[in-house]
Amino acid sequence: MVEENISLKKYNTFGIDATARYFSIFTNMDELNELVEFKQPSTINHQPSILILGGGSNMLFTKNFDGFVLKNEIHGIELIKEDEQHVYVKAGAGVNWHQLVVHCIGNNWAGMENLSLIPGNIGASPMQNIGAYGIEIKDVFHELEAFHLEDKKMVTFNLKDCEFGYRESVFKRKLKSQFVIINVTFRLNKKSKFNTSYGAIEQELEVMGVKELTIQSISQAVINIRSSKLPDPAVIGNAGSFFKNPEISFDHFETLKTEFPAMVGYTLRNGNVKLAAGWLIEQCGWKGYRKGDAGCHAKQALVLVNYGNASGAEIYALSTSIINSVQEKFGVGLEREVNII
Ligand SMILES: Cc1cc2nc3c(=O)[nH]c(=O)nc-3n(C[C@H](O)[C@H](O)[C@H](O)COP(=O)(O)OP(=O)(O)OC[C@H]3O[C@@H](n4cnc5c(N)ncnc54)[C@H](O)[C@@H]3O)c2cc1C
C-alpha cells in the first residue's frame, strides 16, 4: 500500500516532523519490485525519486521529502556456511543491528561485540561502514546483495567492491542512491580475538569485576559505556555523532599543538593526524548550547539534539554555525556524518 503525505517523525531518531509525499514499507523482493514501478497519480508516467529508509538513525530531514520513501523491513537471520575458523551469517536489511549482534554473541560467534548497541538496521550498516570501539563492519563483512533501481537487477558486492573507508563506502559516493541493499553476509570467528584496547572498555571491565574475558562481557562493557555517554533517541532526538573526526596533516597538527597544547591527535598510517571533533566543538563553547529546541548535547559535544520540536533546518543551521566556528578557531574543516535530506 502506498500512503500519501505521511509524517516521518516516528521514522527518524531526530524526531523531525517532515513529511514524505509517498510512503510504503516492503518486506520482500516481490513487494519491492512492485513498488519501484509506482507512478505518481495524475501525472503521465512520472516516477517519484526514491529514498530508502532503515531505522532513520543517521538522517536529518531539513525539509519535506517530495518523493517516495520506501522503508526496508526485509527480515531473517541465517547461518549459510561454516569452516574450521569462521561462520557466515546472512541477515536481511531490515533486521535491527543490535538484534544481529545479540544473536551472534548468543551463538559464541565473535567479531561484532564491540559494535553492540549501535542503532539502526543491517541495510544501512555498509552505507557508512559503521564503527565503534576500534572495529568497523569491514572487519566482519563478507558480501552483500543489492537491487539496482534502474536495471532492476540484483548485484553482489564483495569487500573490495564496497570501497569501505572511515564512515564511507561506494554507496555513499559513486553509487549514491542507485542501490537498495537487500541482505548482508558477515564472516564471524569461531575463536574470539578480543579487542579491548579502545576507549574505556578496559576500565569498564574492571568496574564490572570481569576476571575472564568473553565476547559477552565485552559487549556488556560497550553497552554500559554507550548508555552512560550517549543520549537515548527515545528520550532526546539525535542521530549519534553528527560530524566525522577530521584528518589533518602532521605539520598542521604540530602548529596547532603549540597554540593548543591539550589538543589530542591520533597518528594514522598515512602520516596524517585524526582529531577528536567533539573536543574541537567543545573548545568553541558549543557543548550544552541550546537555541529553541535545537542543541548541542551537554555531555557529548559531537551529538546535536532535538529537545522536542526543532525543525531539521534549525539543526542544520546549528551544524553550519559549529562548522564555521571550528574553521575560524582551528582552521580545521568539519564534515557532517549524518545524511542530510
Ligand atoms: C544514539 C546513536 C548512536 C550512534 N552510534 C553510532 C556508532 O557508534 N557508530 C556508527 O557508525 N554509527 C552510529 N550511529 C549512526 C547510525 O546508528 C548508523 O549510521 C546506522 O547504520 C544507521 O542505520 P539506519 O537503519 O537507521 O539507517 P537510516 O538512517 O535509515 O539510513 C542511513 C542511510 O542509509 C541509506 N539506507 C538505509 N537502508 C538502506 C538500504 N537497505 N539500502 C540502501 N540504502 C539504505 C539511507 O537512504 C540513508 O542514506 C548512531 C546513531 C545514534 C542515534
Side-chain angles (χ1 to χ4, degrees), residues 5 18 42 97 121 125 152 160 214 245 250-251 259 274 294 309 317 329 332:
N5 299 320
S42 79
W97 173 265
N121 297 347
S125 63
K152 315 270 190 296
K160 201 163 155 265
T214 58
N245 289 320
F250 185 75
D251 290 349
E259 205 183 332
K274 188 170 277 188
N309 292 312
K329 188 172 173 99
V332 173

Side-chain angles (χ1 to χ4, degrees), residues 52 54-59 72 119-121 124 127-128 130-131 181 226 240:
I52 305 298
S57 64
N58 199 24
M59 293 213 171
N72 187 328
N121 297 347
M127 286 293 296
Q128 63 149 10
I130 58 166
I181 294 169
R226 292 184 70 97

Side-chain angles (χ1 to χ4, degrees), residues 5-203:
N5 299 320
I6 284 288
S7 168
L8 296 169
K9 194 173 166 77
K10 66 174 178 188
Y11 295 115
N12 71 97
T13 60
F14 252 124
I16 301 296
D17 194 9
T19 57
R21 181 78 177 87
Y22 301 102
F23 178 88
S24 195
I25 291 174
F26 62 97
T27 60
N28 58 48
M29 283 311 295
D30 289 345
E31 288 173 3
L32 176 62
N33 271 302
E34 201 176 304
L35 287 167
V36 295
E37 296 300 334
F38 172 76
K39 309 265 186 319
Q40 200 161 333
S42 79
T43 58
I44 305 161
N45 277 342
H46 177 71
Q47 283 194 291
S49 55
I50 287 176
L51 173 68
I52 305 298
L53 190 63
S57 64
N58 199 24
M59 293 213 171
L60 178 67
F61 288 96
T62 56
K63 53 184 183 299
N64 294 334
F65 184 68
D66 189 28
F68 194 6
V69 172
L70 283 172
K71 182 159 164 50
N72 187 328
E73 287 199 4
I74 296 181
H75 288 280
I77 301 176
E78 199 187 342
L79 171 65
I80 54 165
K81 62 175 179 176
E82 58 186 303
D83 55 35
E84 240 170 65
Q85 289 171 349
H86 301 114
V87 292
Y88 295 79
V89 182
K90 187 194 234 183
V95 172
N96 172 268
W97 173 265
H98 186 62
Q99 186 196 334
L100 177 68
V101 174
V102 170
H103 180 87
C104 294
I105 290 172
N107 283 290
N108 264 323
W109 300 330
M112 282 187 178
E113 52 282 359
N114 292 43
L115 301 175
S116 297
L117 215 61
I118 296 181
N121 297 347
I122 298 300
S125 63
M127 286 293 296
Q128 63 149 10
N129 181 25
I130 58 166
Y133 297 97
I135 302 280
E136 294 176 329
I137 78 148
K138 71 167 174 44
D139 303 319
V140 285
F141 179 89
H142 178 58
E143 64 180 25
L144 65 79
E145 285 184 292
F147 178 77
H148 195 267
L149 283 164
E150 278 287 312
D151 300 349
K152 315 270 190 296
K153 285 201 182 107
M154 289 290 267
V155 181
T156 301
F157 290 80
N158 65 22
L159 183 65
K160 201 163 155 265
D161 302 329
C162 290
E163 298 177 16
F164 288 128
Y166 167 56
R167 301 294 176 274
E168 280 299 343
S169 75
V170 73
F171 303 104
K172 253 189 137 170
R173 297 217 175 253
K174 60 179 189 237
L175 300 182
K176 195 172 161 59
S177 304
Q178 292 186 29
F179 282 92
V180 185
I181 294 169
I182 302 300
N183 59 61
V184 184
T185 302
F186 298 94
R187 192 186 71 166
L188 296 153
N189 302 309
K190 289 186 172 174
K191 199 166 177 296
S192 320
K193 291 179 209 142
F194 302 122
N195 182 343
T196 59
S197 58
Y198 202 91
I201 298 186
E202 270 164 16
Q203 285 117 282

Side-chain angles (χ1 to χ4, degrees), residues 24 27 29 68 91-92 101 125 162 165 167 174 212 228 233 247 256 259 281-283 287 291 312 322 324 326 331:
S24 195
T27 60
M29 283 311 295
F68 194 6
V101 174
S125 63
C162 290
R167 301 294 176 274
K174 60 179 189 237
E212 200 188 323
S228 70
E247 189 178 318
L256 284 171
E259 205 183 332
I281 295 167
E282 196 177 334
Q283 296 307 304
K287 198 174 180 181
K291 185 179 177 195
I322 291 174
N324 291 344
V326 168

